[in-house]
Amino acid sequence: MHGFANPARFLRIARWLTPLLLLSGIVLSAGSLAWGLWRAPAESLQGETVRILFIHVPTAWLGMAGWSAIAVASLVELVWRHPLAGIAARASALPGAVYTAMCLISGSLWGRPAWGTWWVWDGRLTSMLVLLFLYFGYMALAQASENAGQSRVAAIFGLVGAVNIPIIHYSVLWWNSLHQPPSISVGNSAMAPDFLIPLLVATVGFSLIFGGVVLTRMRTILADAQAEARLRRKAQATEGQA
Amino acid sequence: MAVKAKHQRLVLVVIALVAILGAGALAAWALRSQASYFYVPSEIAAKPPEPDRAVRLGGMVERGSLKTEADGVTIAFVVGDGKARVPVRFKGITPSLFVEGSGVVAEGRMGADGTFNADNLLAKHDERYVPREMKDMTAAQARETVKETQ
Amino acid sequence: MRETLDPWLFIYVSYAMGVIGTALMVGWSWLGMKAAEARRDRSRER
């Protein structure tokens, strides 16, 4: 495991993996979205509106997966003091927040024609909005503690905030909500293959883009740290000479 | 020594996580009735709300119960949850997905006559997604088609 | 009376939001990374 702790080794892999993830993700999501927009059938009750599914579900999954990644990376950072884990956690925050916001916006655009309202304060919608604010809080903490040179606070916040993820998932089962229960569970689908297959492709595509953005941001953080360290060494060296 | 410190941290983090998850589950359990977005008909029947309190009623629109009243604007239907039934009256624009046999959430007040007077209707849909072309087939045909495409 | 909305308006707005949002996020992160790596390489040369 500590083999990946070496930034040089990580960078060697990330250099070719980043464009590969981004490009394959863009191809898959563009294809499945075009399919969802023009080829997928209308739904028997909802009609054409169902096409928002192909944006809404992948972004919802990644909004939740993003925080799960932050929580796992924070755990590794706290317990094993793995240097890349903290960087990975920080790198997941922005794409996670962007996808959560896109999930809320697409859900609102779906709710208006399907339910007759832009927004309700039911369990699912409220817990998803809480997730967006958790992301904002995490990004602020990570930014602040980065300057102070310690990231323990952000990692603890990342772990504690993970309690919201099962709440989001089970909100539609625990409480009466306007949002319907999940259509897909392990080995079981209430969704016809005409919707399910393009949805799965879109989810894979969006996830590849997510992975590519995480790698991009990890490389940014590493490059900034390396440049800063080098400048500091040089400043000390010139001071020593004078 | 280093291994020991790592184990100690792992145990501490796991204990903290279990405590947080327990607290979250406890809070969710305590909120189970308050956090619900609506009451189902059997809850309304068991404990009717005060006549002037704004509540939400959610359930299935019973098939064959939807009628337009003499004024041509007011609609009446029955919301059921399999255990109890509540008659609802509503005057206004219904969402496009509001149909018999589908879910609905009505915002309004319980009338003295046992009828729920709704100010607003929201359509609730279920987790099933069926292509439009397949709806007109019989159930057996649809199953065949689904099987073929899988 | 039944509400009639044009579903395509909502569909196109949500797809546009998804595509533009993703493009901005990817482009901004990518350019930020390129700038940071160029800064690092410059600090190596000097």
Side-chain angles (χ1 to χ4, degrees):
Chain A
M1 183 161 194
H2 274 264
F4 292 103
N6 183 349
R9 192 165 178 179
F10 165 78
L11 284 174
R12 225 175 13 251
I13 297 167
R15 201 157 287 141
W16 57 265
L17 193 55
T18 315
L20 184 71
L21 287 180
L22 287 176
L23 286 177
S24 57
I26 288 167
V27 167
L28 278 185
S29 14
S32 55
L33 289 188
W35 184 277
L37 203 47
W38 294 302
R39 281 283 171 278
E43 209 261 341
S44 64
L45 190 59
Q46 298 195 42
E48 307 289 352
T49 322
V50 74
R51 299 176 198 285
I52 299 176
L53 174 83
F54 304 112
I55 298 277
H56 182 69
V57 172
T59 53
W61 142 251
L62 284 169
M64 291 163 74
W67 197 281
S68 309
I70 290 180
V72 170
S74 300
L75 179 78
V76 174
E77 183 192 359
L78 284 176
V79 175
W80 288 278
R81 300 279 157 86
H82 194 300
L84 276 177
I87 294 173
R90 277 141 197 266
S92 307
L94 179 92
V98 167
Y99 280 125
T100 305
M102 280 171 29
C103 167
L104 289 167
I105 296 170
S106 62
S108 191
L109 286 163
W110 195 356
R112 183 64 192 85
W115 296 338
T117 179
W118 297 102
W119 182 263
V120 290
W121 292 101
D122 85 341
R124 173 57 69 85
L125 279 66
T126 308
S127 54
M128 203 63 192
L129 186 65
V130 168
L131 179 65
L132 183 63
F133 288 125
L134 285 176
Y135 273 116
F136 291 157
Y138 179 84
M139 288 194 283
L141 267 181
Q143 190 67 39
S145 54
E146 193 179 27
N147 300 339
Q150 44 144 279
S151 59
R152 206 79 57 82
V153 185
I156 291 169
F157 186 79
L159 271 182
V160 172
V163 80
N164 192 32
I165 298 298
I167 294 180
I168 295 174
H169 181 78
Y170 288 106
S171 57
V172 288
L173 305 173
W174 289 342
W175 304 309
N176 296 333
S177 59
L178 188 57
H179 196 287
Q180 73 281 8
S183 302
I184 311 159
S185 52
V186 179
N188 207 341
S189 164
M191 194 180 277
D194 307 59
F195 301 116
L196 186 62
I197 291 165
L199 176 61
L200 291 181
V201 178
T203 305
V204 171
F206 275 57
S207 306
L208 290 171
I209 295 179
F210 184 94
V213 172
V214 170
L215 285 186
T216 309
R217 301 191 65 75
M218 286 179 76
R219 283 169 65 179
T220 311
I221 297 171
L222 274 173
D224 280 339
Q226 287 170 332
E228 209 173 291
R230 228 172 249 132
L231 289 179
R232 211 178 303 128
R233 268 203 306 276
K234 264 175 205 157
Q236 278 166 352
T238 44
E239 255 171 52
Q241 282 167 354
Chain B
M1 200 61 203
V3 173
K4 224 177 161 186
K6 189 193 290 175
H7 280 262
Q8 203 172 20
R9 286 201 299 271
L10 182 60
V11 168
L12 277 175
V13 169
V14 167
I15 290 173
L17 269 185
V18 167
I20 294 160
L21 280 173
L26 209 64
W29 180 251
L31 275 171
R32 73 196 180 282
S33 55
Q34 274 83 355
S36 279
Y37 188 64
F38 54 80
Y39 296 107
V40 292
S42 49
E43 287 168 333
I44 298 264
K47 217 172 122 200
E50 301 95 83
D52 281 331
R53 213 177 110 224
V55 290
R56 295 193 193 90
L57 165 71
M60 297 300 258
V61 183
E62 284 195 357
R63 286 185 196 281
S65 73
L66 183 60
K67 288 183 190 68
T68 308
E69 290 192 352
D71 63 359
V73 193
T74 309
I75 56 168
F77 54 94
V78 174
V79 171
D81 65 347
K83 282 174 252 165
R85 321 165 65 234
V86 177
V88 180
R89 202 180 290 124
F90 173 70
K91 187 176 168 178
I93 299 166
T94 61
S96 49
L97 290 193
F98 173 77
V99 285
E100 288 185 346
S102 188
V104 71
V105 175
E107 300 179 317
R109 285 164 179 78
M110 207 62 206
D113 59 347
T115 302
F116 190 85
N117 294 306
D119 309 318
N120 192 23
L121 289 187
L122 300 175
K124 178 172 161 59
H125 64 83
D126 61 18
E127 68 275 25
R128 282 169 302 167
Y129 290 84
V130 182
R132 182 174 274 164
E133 298 82 75
M134 276 166 63
K135 196 187 66 169
D136 301 327
M137 305 178 195
T138 64
Q141 280 175 319
R143 263 196 298 280
E144 274 307 302
T145 315
V146 168
K147 215 178 283 165
E148 277 164 26
T149 47
Q150 263 166 355
Chain C
M1 263 190 294
R2 185 174 293 273
E3 183 171 50
T4 47
L5 291 169
D6 179 13
W8 286 103
L9 180 67
F10 293 89
I11 297 166
Y12 282 132
V13 171
S14 64
Y15 273 67
M17 183 266 324
V19 169
I20 294 169
T22 306
L24 283 179
M25 175 176 70
V26 170
W28 189 62
S29 301
W30 183 263
L31 293 179
M33 178 189 78
K34 285 289 162 198
E37 292 190 337
R39 263 199 308 279
R40 177 195 59 197
D41 295 343
R42 272 203 306 280
S43 76
R44 190 178 286 161
E45 285 157 16
R46 264 180 287 160

